[in-house]
Structure formats: structure tokens, C-alpha cells
Amino acid sequence: MSRDYQAFLATKRFGYGARPGEIAAALPDPVASVLAQLDGYNPDAGPDDDLPGQVEATRHFFAFRDARGDFRKQSELKGPARDAREKELFGINPIYTVYSAEVLARARLAASSDRPFIERLVAFWSNHFCVAIDSDAIVRLLAGNYEREAIRPHVLGRFEDMLLATRRHPAMLAYLDNDKSVGPNSSFGKRTGKGLNENLARETMELHTLGVDGGYDQGDVIELSRILTGWSYEGPRGDEPGRFRFHPNTHEPGIRTLLGTSYPPQGEEQGIAALADLARHPATGRFLATKMVRHFLGRVPDGGLIDRLAATYAGSDGDLGALTRALVAAPEMWEPAHAVFISPFEFLTASTRATGLELNETEVARVLRIFGQVTWQPPSPAGWPDAPDAWLAPDALMERLDWAQRVAHLVPVPDDVDAFAADILGAAYDGDTRLAVTRAETRQQALAMLMMSPGMQRR
Amino acid sequence: MNVCDYSRRQFMVGTAGLVAWAYQTRIAAAAPGRDPRLLVVNLRGGMDGLGAVAPVGDPDYHRLRGEAVLSADDPAHGLPLDDLFVLHPSLPTLHGLYRDGHALIAHAVATPYRDRSHFDAQDVLESGAAAVGQSHTGWLNRALAALPHGESIGASPAPALSIGAQVPLLLRGQAEVMSWMPPGFPAADGDLRARLLDLYRHTDPGLLATFEAALDLDRATGGEMEVVREIRAVTPDLKGPEMLARMTARTVGKLMVEPGGPRIGSMEILGWDTHVDGEPFDARFVRQMARLDRVIADLHTNLAPVWDQTVICLMTEFGRTVRYNGAGTDHGVGTVAILLGGAVSGGRVLADWPGLSEAALFENRDLRPTLDVRTLFKGVLADHLGLSDRVLAQTVFPDSAGAKPVRGLLQG
């Protein structure tokens, strides 16, 4: 494997594509250029934008909803006239304004970051623990906050902490219905006859920790859902709306047995202990290692890579920093697969990093909608697919071409497109692509060809 | 906390039309000599079945909806169907098909789902499961997977083509599926396309196959810009959701007529969540009905060469409350489903009418469902595509042996 090609992979397989100069900078030691992005990373870093915290956003949303509800009760207006008056009085619903601001901040950060690998990790774990904005207004409102506060701080930390943080965030609690789950024998359950919702417990084991073949059964799902009853968040009348709260009055009392381990009745602590054990389970280490390899490489290679990574996970007590470093250091991860057709967000970001395209809320939302990857709206709790060709479809490819032509007319195209292409694609700028770029009729057409070339579309 | 419905409603207003179909031509399981087409049109948002097809012969209808009711007495207020039902006056094309025997309306239908969240109701409607969250694949895809595979459209089939984002749950699953959405950006020029095709030919077989399929698709649909031109020639200044819906209808029609084109597809029309401006003669409701009627007309026109082998299922995740909320209607259980096409044995309303008396209502607010919508789908899949009762009861609609297919929905 040539070092030239590894330098390309450093920016693409472990990043969002090169900005001018980045491949050249990675060339002396491509592996080190990726690992260096992990050193000194401040886990509290994130978008600089002024984005609301979960309580502030939630309070604002509830206030908006209440005020508008009152107005609707007394207003004589109907239809568009009422909509217009509401907009005058109350502005746009914060679930849209906050969401759009979060989406733009995320796209800008990925496009401008000096640590693009960190941004890839954030996106990976955010997809692993995905929520979907079309499930509930609270999820739309707080999906960005969820990624910033429950995912981002832990991408190089302990998996257990991320598992816990995601299970304590209102976006996840609402998305997987734990806010509606009631222990039938809790005081509230006995009074109302309400019961369990197994959704969060099931996905916790199937998708987030053990994996579907991780050795649990339906009895374990029910036990974990009992354990997690009471895990919810403060509603409109709470002191801190949107903040995680354990509600003892909906928590199922009693000793629980999960995967053969018994957990005494300790309220919230029962769940914390059970989640810690799930995080430490050997099946979890293997499941996470396999998923990371598949995501970044596009396939799972033969040989002992997964065993080694699972051992690193177990030996470090679930330290994702250690797991990530071992992943990057593995020679298998630098094999020339060149196979994965990048996702819409990756293509948007790679284009932005290469060309310096200015992003705004409208363009980001439009591009991702048309390309089929509305931010934080995956098709199911399993998240966006990782299969190498999952995004490769005729209509989608044509839309990318149409957009590439558009971008080529929006950004200043460098005078020497040939040199620019070599700078951006490095060793992936092969003879055929060079011919296509240099023979283009106009510099705009040359840039569009570069954006659509296999070196740009694949990693 | 119940904020779910709220966000869903807002979200759906702005979403574009979508068509998806299986990468499959002839349906070998069907009767010899037939080449059946099946299109499922999902009316997302919960269409008011009582607003579209009103039981004017039921005295309680007037009691509950007296503020704004359809009527058989005047074509401006309703188009007669039978002694009990009247069709919304903005559905003349549908009415014509009904009179010709090419439209069957089933009333008081519902999925097995009895709550009122769009998200969950659509999950049940599209997955074909008996409850929420039981399947990540759709019934139409499982029906496809149970049929023998055919050839793809165009000369160069692309590899596996299923992607969640662009494909609705209804068509998600094992069987390969393609999707098309109305154009997002102005089309790249022909020279750029030709050059890119040449680059892929020299560098990347996977991208080449996909791009060739994209160009085939573009030719088969006549090109995105051509679609816009054709529609604007008839309806100048058309834009927004109606433009998207009609481009989608036209594209579906063109593709399904092609000798090598898809035989099974789905498309969506949004905007049915009429909490506001949702009484039958409110501007928005009338607009929705008129839009649906024009989409039906577009489908009828574009599918004309194969109309006698076509079944179109119009479905919606639930209906609306029987009483108005002051401006429109809220989510309610029972509603209508409609079958269209030359293959349909239509000209009738299929209903075990539960009535609208206080005692008859579901939870004192909704039309009580008396027909499981899965039994309609099963009847169509059995008689149109030749799927066995066993496959339908186990694979396509899991654990639905109790919901027997309705037979006799189709001609012959």
C-alpha cells in the first residue's frame, strides 16, 4: 500500500475529504495524521454557534405551544389568516428554528474542522444511538442537543458513559417511548392501569449493546424494560422542563434478573447497574468493534481484527478512545478497498471542504433532503445503513450530478483545476480522472467532473 | 406527554411526492397472458373518509356534521354513489370511474391499529404487521419477494438498490427497489452527462451501471424537465405540492406502461391532516380533493394502454373524528380505502356500515371500523398477483390468518 494512497485514505476513510493542503500534510505519516486528531481533543468542544441547552429549548417550546394553544381557543380566525396571525404573534415554532440551526452548525463544523475524524466519530455514534425527528416534537427540538451533549463528549470516553447519557436524554426517551412506559405495579401503574413499553429496552440490547445475536431473549427485554421504568424527563410544569428525571412513582418495584444477573430494587441505581453490565458484556465489545470496522472500511476483513479490537475494548473497560486508536492503527483498515459510496452528508461535507462552498440553512436542508438523508431522520432505530452501496441508486446519483453542476457555478473555481484536483484527491486522482478534468470544456465543468469522480464519491 | 401528532403534522405539509417501485417486470405468478400492474397510493396524514365519501343516507351524519355536509341533491354539493353514500363534488374523475365500474370504495375500514399517532399508524399500515414496531420491512416488498424475479428496466441493471431514505416502509425489504423523486436541482447538461458516463466507463463499473440506469430512467420518464414542460403546457403556473404530485403520477404512469418497466409501485400524496380548514367546503379540503382527482386523472391517462390490467389502491393511515373541532377534524380511526383500475370490479361501495349513532361510534368520537384494510390488500394480492392465502397470512401480513382476503374485488 503506497503512502500516497494512505494519505488520501487518511482524509477520506477517516475524515470528510481533504481541504486544500491536507493530503500533502498527511503524506509524511498518514496513520499519525489521523491519530494526532485524537490527541488533546476537548470533549466539551462542539459547534461555536449559539445553540440552546435542553432546558432552555424545551422551556421555550412549551411556552410557545401554550401561548399558541390559548390563542387558538379564543381566536375567530381560520386557515391561512390564522396561521399568518400566529406567525406575527409567536414567530416560528422553535422546533423548526432550533433544529435548522443545529443542522447548519453540525454541517459547518464538519466542513471546517481540523479534526474531521472526530466529526466522523460523532456522526458514527450518533447514528449508532440514533433518534428520529419525525417521531415526536421533542425529538426534533432536541436532536442536535442530544448529539452535542449525549454523544459528542463521550466519543473518546467510556462507552458506558455514552450508553447512560443517551438513555437519560429526552430525545432518546421520547423517540423510543420510555417516557410512556409505566411499571404495572408502580403506584402510578396501579392507579391508571398503564403498562410497559418495551421499545427502549429492546433496542438497547438489539441495536445499542449486545447485538441481535448477543444472547438475550424476550424475557430479558421485559426485565430491562421494567428496570428502565421511571426514566423520563420533566414536563411543562417541572422546574427544569426537558431535564432527565427518575420518577419513582412509575418505576416497577422489585428484584430483576437480566441475563442471569440479579439486580436488587434500588430505583434508578438498578438501571445504572444493569446498563454498566451491558456495556461490559463481551458481546457488546464484539458488536461495537464489528460495527466500527464495517462503517469505516465498508467490510469486515478476515483474520483476527475483530478479536483484537474486542480484546482492546474489554481490556480498557470499554474505553472508546483505546478502541478507536486500535482501529486506526490496524493495518487492515488501510487496505485499498475504495469501495464505499459515500453518504449524502459525507458528499455535502467533502464538497464543502474541497471548494469552500458557503453553507446556509436553506441549502443544507435542501441538499440533504433531495439526496435522501434528512439530518437525524433515519428510517428506523437501526439508523442509516452502513452497507458499501447503500446509497448508490440511479436517481440519487443523478441528483448528485445536478448539484455538482450547480456548485461549480456557485464557488470560485481555481485557475489551475488540474493542480487543485491533485491537491484534493491525491493518489485517487488517477489518469482517467485527470484526463476527464483537464479535457473539460470549462473550469466549471472540470470541477463538476472532479466532484463526481470515483475518488470523490467513494472512500 | 403527547406532542407527537403535532410534529408529524407540521412535518408532512412540506414533504415532496415520492414514487418507488420494484426492480421487476413480468409477474410470473399471475394468470397466463396477463401482465398485471399494482400501484399503491399512500394518502399520508389521515384522510377524512366522511368528508370524501359521505353517508348522506345516515340521519346521524346530518346530526354530527350539520354545519357542513355533502348532499346528493346538487352536483356542487356531492356526486351520488348509491342510496347511502355521496362522493365529494371535487372528485369528478373518480366519480366517472365509479360509474364505469372501475372504482370500488370500501368504507369504515382501518388497520388493526386503534390509537391515533400518524407515526405509529403509518408504521402499521405500511409494515402490514398487527401492531407498531414489529417489522422494519413493508408488506408490498414482502409480496414482491414472494413473487419470482423478473428483469430490470433498461439494458444494464444496477446492483442492489434499496435505500431506506428514499423508499417508504411499504416497499422496504429484501426485494430490490428503486425510487424517483421530482427533480431537486436543474438537470446537468447533456455534455456533462456524456463525459461522466465516459469517465465511469474507464474507472468504476459500479458507478457506470448505476449511472446508465439513471440515464435509462431519465429516458423512460421522458426526462425531468420534459415532465415539467408537458404538465405546464396543460396547466401553466402549476407549482408546489400539486406539481410534485402530478409529476409523480405522470412518471409512475409512464414507467408502468413501459414493456420493460416496473409492475408494482407506490406513490404518496401528502396534506391530509386537516385539523384546520378541514370541513368539506373549506378551501384547503377542496384543494386536497381536487388535487387527488387530478392525480387520478393523470394516472388514468398515462396508464390507459394497460388500464384493464391495472389496480390502484388508495389508502390512508386513519380517518378523522366524526365531529368537527371548530375548524376541521382530528385524528380518528375508521376511514375509506379505494380501489381503481380496469381490473377492478367496481361501481359499488363495500361497507358493513356501522352507523353514526352515539352507541355505534368508536370511543364516542370515531367511525367504527368494520373492515380490516389488510383483507382488501390480501384480496388484491391474491386475485391480481396470484399470491397464495398461506403466503399472505404468514409472510405478507404476519399472523393475519383471521383476516381473510376479500374475494371478488376484481373482474372475472
Side-chain angles (χ1 to χ4, degrees):
Chain A
M1 174 82 295
S2 79
R3 205 151 47 82
D4 281 352
Y5 198 74
Q6 289 200 347
F8 162 75
L9 288 181
T11 63
K12 194 81 182 198
R13 186 169 289 167
F14 298 103
Y16 274 117
R19 291 184 297 181
E22 284 185 335
I23 290 186
L27 194 56
D29 190 341
V31 178
S33 78
V34 177
L35 290 174
Q37 296 177 41
L38 308 178
D39 296 333
Y41 173 67
N42 170 12
D44 298 324
D48 294 330
D49 312 55
D50 184 20
L51 297 164
Q54 69 193 67
V55 172
E56 182 191 351
T58 310
R59 188 173 277 143
H60 183 188
F61 167 61
F62 284 141
F64 170 90
R65 207 181 49 167
D66 291 350
R68 196 187 53 178
D70 291 346
F71 170 76
R72 283 185 178 180
K73 265 184 222 137
Q74 50 86 18
S75 173
E76 302 282 304
L77 295 169
K78 276 176 107 175
R82 194 186 72 173
D83 293 350
R85 183 72 184 126
E86 281 180 7
K87 206 167 164 186
E88 266 172 44
L89 287 170
F90 311 114
I92 298 171
N93 189 331
I95 68 172
Y96 301 108
T97 52
V98 171
Y99 169 72
S100 297
E102 292 274 6
V103 168
L104 180 64
R106 177 191 211 247
R108 280 187 172 157
L109 182 56
S112 65
S113 176
D114 295 328
R115 300 175 190 267
F117 184 41
I118 294 282
E119 297 310 309
R120 283 285 302 282
L121 290 168
V122 170
F124 170 79
W125 289 112
S126 178
N127 192 50
H128 179 76
F129 288 119
C130 71
V131 295
I133 53 162
D134 54 350
S135 64
D136 193 302
I138 282 290
V139 183
R140 182 181 294 269
L141 179 76
L142 295 179
N145 178 278
Y146 170 76
E147 186 176 286
R148 287 189 290 113
E149 295 189 0
I151 304 284
R152 180 177 287 279
H154 305 293
V155 295
L156 299 180
R158 293 175 68 236
F159 178 74
E160 182 186 330
D161 293 337
M162 197 191 293
L163 182 67
L164 194 59
T166 49
R167 255 118 285 261
R168 297 166 69 114
H169 195 285
M172 177 61 82
L173 291 165
Y175 175 48
L176 291 180
D177 303 319
N178 210 65
D179 54 351
K180 298 162 200 83
S181 185
V182 175
N185 297 305
S186 66
S187 59
F188 185 77
K190 279 200 256 187
R191 197 166 71 242
T192 60
K194 294 197 171 177
L196 294 176
N197 186 308
E198 299 170 9
N199 217 355
L200 180 64
R202 181 183 312 283
E203 305 303 19
T204 294
M205 290 192 282
E206 178 181 329
L207 298 175
H208 300 157
T209 60
L210 306 172
V212 70
D213 302 318
Y216 63 92
D217 61 21
Q218 175 60 22
D220 294 313
V221 171
I222 292 173
E223 280 295 84
L224 183 57
S225 65
R226 287 174 178 143
I227 288 171
L228 291 177
T229 47
W231 290 47
S232 189
Y233 52 92
E234 281 197 19
R237 280 168 294 282
D239 294 335
E240 293 188 291
R243 183 76 73 205
F244 173 78
R245 279 289 175 267
F246 176 78
H247 295 304
N249 62 337
T250 59
H251 180 68
E252 180 75 354
I255 301 171
R256 304 266 80 87
T257 304
L258 181 69
L259 299 164
T261 303
S262 152
Y263 297 89
Q266 294 176 310
E268 184 188 355
E269 292 301 317
Q270 190 179 48
I272 294 172
L275 291 172
D277 287 345
L278 283 172
R280 274 188 211 108
H281 197 286
T284 299
R286 287 197 71 79
F287 180 63
L288 299 179
T290 308
K291 189 162 176 178
M292 279 191 103
V293 168
R294 186 179 295 122
H295 174 79
F296 285 97
L297 189 60
R299 64 193 170 90
V300 179
D302 298 334
L305 177 60
I306 302 300
D307 291 336
R308 273 156 38 218
L309 294 178
T312 301
Y313 180 88
S316 63
D317 198 22
D319 182 342
L320 296 180
L323 179 63
T324 304
R325 283 168 203 281
L327 180 90
V328 175
E332 294 94 326
M333 294 302 293
W334 295 85
E335 291 294 313
H338 198 46
V340 177
F341 184 70
I342 60 176
S343 71
F345 185 73
E346 287 175 74
F347 178 48
L348 169 70
T349 307
S351 304
T352 312
R353 289 181 76 84
T355 66
L357 174 73
E358 282 287 324
L359 297 178
N360 60 52
E361 280 184 11
T362 314
E363 184 76 1
V364 168
R366 184 168 174 223
V367 168
L368 293 174
R369 175 173 51 75
I370 290 166
F371 289 170
Q373 193 178 28
V374 174
T375 306
W376 302 309
Q377 195 183 308
S380 80
W384 301 108
D386 268 331
D389 278 344
W391 293 103
L392 185 55
D395 199 39
L397 190 61
M398 194 64 101
E399 294 291 4
R400 288 190 190 196
L401 174 61
D402 296 347
W403 186 67
Q405 178 176 271
R406 173 182 159 81
V407 170
H409 289 89
L410 286 176
V411 298
V413 185
D415 290 338
D416 188 346
V417 189
D418 183 33
F420 173 72
D423 188 358
I424 296 302
L425 290 185
Y429 190 47
D430 56 34
D432 290 307
T433 305
R434 164 161 275 155
L435 219 52
V437 166
T438 52
R439 283 185 181 170
E441 226 173 26
T442 61
R443 282 188 288 145
Q444 282 76 19
Q445 194 183 54
L447 180 59
M449 291 296 285
L450 167 65
M451 288 172 66
M452 293 307 293
S453 69
M456 193 77 168
Q457 295 293 335
R458 291 191 185 273
R459 58 172 167 85
Chain B
M1 131 169 7
N2 183 18
V3 286
C4 176
D5 298 337
Y6 176 81
S7 89
R8 189 75 190 164
R9 172 167 85 243
Q10 297 290 334
F11 165 67
M12 284 189 301
V13 169
T15 315
L18 168 75
V19 49
W21 64 91
Y23 227 34
Q24 175 157 10
T25 53
R26 262 171 206 288
I27 290 158
R34 287 184 68 245
D35 187 7
R37 271 81 169 171
L38 174 61
L39 175 68
V40 179
V41 181
N42 193 351
L43 309 177
R44 282 191 195 272
M47 183 173 76
D48 180 18
L50 296 173
V53 183
V56 296
D58 185 329
D60 287 309
Y61 167 70
H62 298 271
R63 181 176 58 80
L64 289 163
R65 289 204 158 179
E67 295 167 44
V69 290
L70 304 191
S71 152
D73 303 334
D74 167 8
H77 288 95
L79 307 168
L81 295 173
D82 63 14
D83 293 343
L84 186 54
F85 295 105
V86 155
L87 192 64
H88 193 280
S90 298
L91 294 168
T93 309
L94 176 57
H95 191 243
L97 290 170
Y98 180 91
R99 277 187 319 207
D100 293 343
H102 294 175
L104 182 151
I105 295 166
H107 218 317
V109 305
T111 68
Y113 177 75
R114 289 289 175 273
D115 288 323
R116 297 174 184 88
S117 141
H118 290 294
F119 193 56
D120 293 346
Q122 291 175 6
D123 181 276
V124 173
L125 178 69
E126 294 181 70
S127 72
V132 182
Q134 306 214 323
S135 174
H136 292 168
T137 62
W139 62 263
L140 194 53
N141 190 293
R142 291 195 301 276
L144 276 160
L147 294 166
H149 281 258
E151 288 165 27
S152 66
I153 137 179
S156 42
L161 286 167
S162 179
I163 164 65
Q166 301 277 15
V167 176
L169 174 59
L170 175 70
L171 260 171
R172 262 182 243 152
Q174 260 188 327
E176 290 182 7
V177 165
M178 270 180 60
S179 64
W180 179 92
M181 281 182 84
F185 306 104
D189 60 63
D191 182 47
L192 180 55
R193 288 178 173 193
R195 286 167 187 260
L196 189 62
L197 188 67
D198 190 57
L199 174 60
Y200 289 166
R201 191 170 285 131
H202 288 98
T203 53
D204 195 314
L207 291 179
L208 175 65
T210 309
F211 195 54
E212 283 178 335
L215 293 171
D216 283 346
L217 180 58
D218 203 53
R219 272 189 290 273
T221 57
E224 292 178 342
M225 290 307 132
E226 184 56 29
V227 179
V228 176
R229 256 194 300 278
E230 276 184 32
I231 294 173
R232 290 238 165 96
V234 186
T235 329
D237 307 324
L238 188 61
K239 55 187 179 188
E242 171 140 358
M243 185 66 172
L244 297 179
R246 295 188 59 192
M247 288 178 75
T248 306
R250 187 187 163 289
T251 303
V252 171
K254 278 217 160 191
L255 287 169
M256 293 183 83
V257 167
E258 288 263 312
R263 292 298 179 259
I264 292 183
S266 78
M267 61 171 284
E268 314 192 339
I269 305 173
L270 311 178
W272 299 99
D273 199 20
T274 50
H275 293 273
V276 181
D277 217 12
E279 296 178 10
F281 301 109
D282 286 349
R284 173 177 170 193
F285 196 85
V286 168
R287 193 173 65 229
Q288 254 337 91
M289 286 290 145
R291 181 175 300 162
L292 173 62
D293 200 63
R294 285 191 290 266
V295 166
I296 290 171
D298 286 344
L299 289 171
H300 185 218
T301 305
N302 285 291
L303 287 165
V306 298
W307 184 249
D308 61 347
Q309 301 181 71
T310 296
V311 174
I312 300 169
C313 295
L314 304 180
M315 64 181 198
T316 187
E317 71 262 29
F318 46 51
R320 322 287 310 175
T321 47
V322 297
R323 300 180 186 90
Y324 296 130
N325 64 14
T329 47
D330 298 318
H331 306 169
V333 175
T335 186
V336 295
I338 300 172
L339 302 181
L340 303 172
V344 173
S345 172
R348 57 199 169 113
V349 180
L350 183 72
D352 176 8
W353 187 245
L356 295 173
S357 67
E358 295 293 337
L361 296 184
F362 179 73
E363 295 181 356
N364 187 34
R365 49 172 279 164
D366 303 340
L367 174 61
R368 178 176 298 279
T370 52
L371 183 67
D372 184 336
V373 75
R374 294 176 302 172
T375 64
L376 284 181
F377 301 148
K378 287 170 84 168
V380 169
L381 292 173
D383 292 341
H384 198 48
L385 305 187
L387 288 179
S388 72
D389 283 6
R390 190 183 53 81
V391 164
L392 289 171
Q394 292 175 5
T395 316
V396 181
F397 295 96
D399 304 320
S400 70
K404 302 264 184 254
V406 180
R407 307 316 280 248
L409 296 172
L410 305 188
Q411 303 270 1

